[in-house]
Amino acid sequence: MKLKPKLAISDSGFIFDPSTGESYSLNEEGLIIVQFLKEGKNEEEIKEHFLNEYDIDETTFSRSYLDFISMLKHFNLIEHE
Amino acid sequence: MEKKTFERPVIKKVQIGMPSKFGLKSEYAPIKEIDGIPVKNLIEQYGSPLYVISEQTIRETYTEAYKAFSTRYPKVQFAWSYKTNYLDAVCKIFHQEGSWAEVVSGFEYEKALNNGVPGNKIIFNGPYKTREDLIKAIENNSFIHIDHYDEYYLLIDLAEELNIRPKVAVRINMDTGIYPQWSRFGFNYENGEAWEIIQRILISNKLDLVGLHCHIGTYIMVPWAYANAMYKLIDLFLGVEKKYNKHLQYIDIGGGFASKNTLKGAYLPGTDTCPTFDQYADAITSVIINSSISIEHLPVLILETGRALIDDAGYLLGTIHATKRLPDGKNSLITDLGVNLLFTSFWYDHKITPAQEFGPYTEETVVYGPLCMNIDVIREYVQLPPLKKGDHFVISRIGAYNMTQWMQFITYRPNVVLIDTNKNTHIIRKAETINNFNNLEQTPEHLKKIE
Ligand SMILES: Cc1ncc(COP(=O)(O)O)c(C=O)c1O
């Protein structure tokens, strides 16, 4: 799972996609995932972080993660493999 | 170390120049408790979905409405509109506060009697009263509001048969300057029909004409429509005084005050547009006070206010069963309460509030019920924080019409709980079970075996 290159990600929770001119906003959890993806972390590593830091069970996290990735795909923010 | 609360990760496209009316934090405070009882506890104890009614809110709202009228006019009588919510416990709160009963069927009439309302404090409205219904109402000395000529002639017959002079009023419909004009109930003012029936009653003298009635519609947002109605009723009232030297006892102006719910498609929220009881009271009472009716013959002003007295006191609690991303990227929630329990979702954009803390981030959401039916949509579009499976939410202002127009469709109807003024909770209607249905159904012998 790789983010499209050249995305500008701000610490306040915004993404700018220079190839389309579109901007996106994220909540805190979304921002953390995007930052991890940018660093090249995989799903397992990201999950571990959330299970350690948040009051959340594995199923609920995985379910939410899947949904979030589907939205990144929907907005064309994921590199086509 | 305490772990952080997890919110579903979400992303949305930034729409430049799209103002958001959901920006205010106040729109956004969670409803964690109702009258001091945590929503979580209510659901744990009584299940989800769950109807909750606040006795305190009913009493406060009633007091506010009663004050608005009684401080402006000396003779005020509310009659609780049973169809709006006829759970016995709810009716009894209104009766304890001093309300009479306003019923529109034999079933509602029986309910009022069972609730201990004396016959002479029951107003019987509606286009469909059977012979048996009318006999009961006449024998109990109730107020019968005549809807059509067939009813009038039936009443004349019954009066002779029973040798009782039934107490009646005439329901009148009229143009009050609003749309739609309810013209199917009662007798029309403008074409002279209303005056004609009034004269027939007075001349035949078999029925005791005691009042005039109208109900001009529901969710009336303009108080002046009531003033217009009152002018026309007073014209008839004075006509009776002048020609027959008779002073009618009451004018019943019906129900119809708006509640603070937001109508579908309305630009502004109902909380901003709904007139106050004071505004309605002002419009209605000033017409009577300023009329030429003499002080000693001022009629009792009867009000059959329904939704405005009960909407705020009712809540529907629910739980997110699943979240689902639609093909267009929109988020959807599958909840455990559907249009079968929330009939008013066909008219209102109901306010949905999460029952737990959440962040400032919201997303465009469709809220579905549990029914496997395409029409089962509670909100087609609402900005909500990212709720997840198991989260609870509260739908506010659902006290009117939902607990009477609910449908037993696909699922059971859940518990209804009353929170009393001492913060004790009581089940006032039990959740349905399969037994309720087995008790009513009968299978013919030849269909009992299916193999
Ligand atoms: C005769 C009559 N009175 C009172 C009411 C209560 O109306 P509302 O809930 O709009 O106040 C109704 C409702 O339809 C009605 O038909």
Side-chain angles (χ1 to χ4, degrees):
Chain A
M1 192 68 53
K2 267 178 78 180
L3 283 184
K4 223 156 108 177
K6 300 213 181 90
L7 289 182
I9 302 166
S10 84
D11 288 341
S12 53
F14 286 94
I15 296 180
F16 176 66
D17 181 352
S19 67
T20 60
E22 298 282 6
S23 294
Y24 303 90
S25 78
L26 302 148
N27 64 352
E28 181 188 304
E29 288 77 355
L31 177 64
I32 294 171
I33 294 175
V34 165
Q35 282 166 337
F36 279 156
L37 288 175
K38 195 174 186 194
E39 290 165 21
K41 289 210 165 75
N42 64 25
E43 182 175 343
E44 277 308 308
E45 292 166 305
I46 297 174
K47 182 162 80 188
E48 202 184 309
H49 169 84
F50 275 94
L51 294 187
N52 285 338
E53 302 279 323
Y54 288 81
D55 183 17
I56 184 74
D57 63 86
E58 195 170 334
T59 312
T60 309
F61 176 77
S62 299
R63 178 72 190 78
S64 309
Y65 182 81
L66 266 180
D67 179 60
F68 183 68
I69 297 299
S70 78
M71 284 310 287
L72 294 181
K73 285 182 182 155
H74 177 78
F75 289 136
N76 266 319
L77 299 173
I78 295 282
E79 186 94 303
H80 293 289
E81 270 135 66
Chain B
M1 191 192 76
E2 205 172 303
K3 289 189 172 183
K4 288 201 248 183
T5 311
F6 178 82
E7 186 172 80
R8 274 197 301 115
V10 273
I11 176 167
K12 66 184 170 192
K13 202 181 261 188
V14 176
Q15 311 271 19
I16 312 255
M18 278 276 284
S20 167
K21 63 172 171 173
F22 298 95
L24 300 171
K25 181 76 190 165
S26 63
E27 270 287 323
Y28 266 151
I31 298 182
K32 289 198 243 176
E33 43 179 57
I34 297 170
D35 287 2
I37 316 273
V39 168
K40 207 161 157 273
N41 299 8
L42 286 165
I43 287 180
E44 262 166 29
Q45 193 174 350
Y46 299 108
S48 178
L50 179 70
Y51 290 96
V52 177
I53 295 175
S54 158
E55 181 175 344
Q56 170 123 3
T57 306
I58 296 180
R59 292 191 188 276
E60 282 171 4
T61 311
Y62 180 86
T63 304
E64 188 191 332
Y66 184 78
K67 255 198 199 145
F69 283 89
S70 62
T71 51
R72 293 177 168 83
Y73 191 75
K75 302 179 191 168
V76 175
Q77 179 61 55
F78 278 82
W80 176 239
S81 153
Y82 264 49
K83 74 163 86 63
T84 310
N85 189 319
Y86 45 56
L87 294 174
D88 290 342
V90 169
C91 296
K92 291 212 168 190
I93 297 171
F94 284 106
H95 298 321
Q96 279 187 354
E97 290 289 339
S99 272
W100 293 1
E102 184 270 326
V103 304
V104 293
S105 69
F107 162 67
E108 289 189 359
Y109 191 90
E110 275 184 37
K111 269 200 155 266
L113 284 183
N114 284 346
N115 282 332
V117 183
N120 65 359
K121 293 183 174 176
I122 302 177
I123 291 171
F124 202 163
N125 276 321
Y128 183 79
K129 313 179 189 84
T130 65
R131 189 183 161 85
E132 291 67 39
D133 294 338
L134 288 173
I135 291 174
K136 207 187 268 183
I138 293 169
E139 289 179 335
N140 284 315
N141 206 18
S142 301
F143 298 101
I144 300 166
H145 288 187
I146 305 175
D147 189 77
H148 44 72
Y149 268 114
D150 284 313
E151 188 166 87
Y152 167 72
Y153 286 112
L154 180 53
L155 282 167
I156 297 271
D157 287 348
L158 291 174
E160 276 176 17
E161 227 175 284
L162 301 169
N163 198 22
I164 308 178
R165 210 155 157 257
K167 280 191 302 183
V168 300
V170 176
R171 172 148 181 187
I172 290 150
N173 67 64
M174 60 189 85
D175 180 5
T176 59
I178 53 165
Y179 180 85
Q181 182 183 337
W182 285 25
S183 57
R184 58 171 283 193
F185 302 109
F187 300 82
N188 185 253
Y189 171 83
E190 284 81 12
N191 69 8
E193 203 182 44
W195 181 237
E196 186 183 317
I197 175 87
I198 288 170
Q199 300 214 77
R200 272 177 196 271
I201 295 172
L202 291 171
I203 292 167
S204 87
N205 207 24
K206 299 235 167 62
L207 312 178
D208 184 12
L209 182 69
V210 290
L212 300 172
H213 171 230
C214 76
H215 171 72
I216 59 175
T218 192
Y219 203 95
I220 309 285
M221 289 164 75
V222 284
W224 52 253
Y226 286 96
N228 289 345
M230 191 50 92
Y231 280 119
K232 296 184 176 179
L233 293 176
I234 286 181
D235 178 49
L236 296 170
F237 184 97
L238 290 170
V240 171
E241 281 196 339
K242 195 163 168 210
K243 183 159 174 188
Y244 296 90
N245 199 23
K246 182 179 170 70
H247 310 289
L248 297 177
Q249 291 168 25
Y250 66 80
I251 291 182
D252 178 345
I253 195 77
F257 301 160
S259 76
K260 296 191 194 76
N261 265 308
T262 305
L263 287 179
K264 277 204 158 137
Y267 181 67
L268 292 168
T271 41
D272 290 1
T273 55
C274 178
T276 61
F277 286 121
D278 281 316
Q279 288 171 302
Y280 288 117
D282 218 36
I284 292 168
T285 59
S286 56
V287 178
I288 324 181
I289 298 275
N290 295 328
S291 75
S292 56
I293 302 175
S294 66
I295 291 288
E296 68 267 34
H297 294 128
L298 280 179
V300 174
L301 171 62
I302 296 181
L303 294 132
E304 301 171 349
T305 312
R307 78 174 76 236
L309 286 179
I310 187 71
D311 239 359
D312 281 7
Y315 301 83
L316 187 48
L317 316 186
T319 303
I320 308 296
H321 180 71
T323 64
K324 192 167 184 177
R325 190 63 64 180
L326 299 178
D328 64 357
K330 207 192 265 179
N331 181 47
S332 77
L333 301 172
I334 302 170
T335 73
D336 59 355
L337 60 91
V339 293
N340 53 326
L341 301 184
L342 197 63
F343 186 86
T344 51
S345 57
F346 293 119
W347 318 116
Y348 291 143
D349 278 340
H350 276 293
K351 188 167 173 227
I352 300 177
T353 313
Q356 49 279 309
E357 286 294 344
F358 49 83
Y361 199 92
T362 63
E363 59 180 337
E364 195 180 315
T365 305
V366 194
V367 183
Y368 295 125
L371 307 181
C372 191
M373 289 284 288
N374 204 37
I375 55 156
D376 193 22
V377 185
I378 298 295
R379 285 296 301 269
E380 273 140 42
Y381 171 97
V382 59
Q383 288 284 340
L384 282 176
L387 296 173
K388 55 184 185 298
K389 183 177 168 58
D391 282 348
H392 301 310
F393 60 94
V394 177
I395 304 189
S396 320
R397 295 200 180 97
I398 58 89
Y401 296 105
N402 285 304
M403 281 157 260
T404 49
Q405 297 192 71
W406 50 8
M407 283 175 275
Q408 190 279 312
F409 179 53
I410 301 184
T411 60
Y412 297 118
R413 281 172 286 205
N415 281 320
V416 182
V417 164
L418 178 81
I419 304 177
D420 71 21
T421 49
N422 295 316
K423 304 195 193 310
N424 299 311
T425 53
H426 313 262
I427 292 185
I428 57 170
R429 191 181 192 273
K430 280 195 251 175
E432 289 165 345
T433 67
I434 191 75
N435 292 332
N436 299 115
F437 300 93
N438 291 347
N439 283 343
L440 294 171
E441 292 197 30
Q442 302 185 38
T443 310
E445 207 51 47
H446 71 286
L447 297 175
K448 285 201 169 139
K449 288 211 183 85
I450 55 167
E451 72 269 8

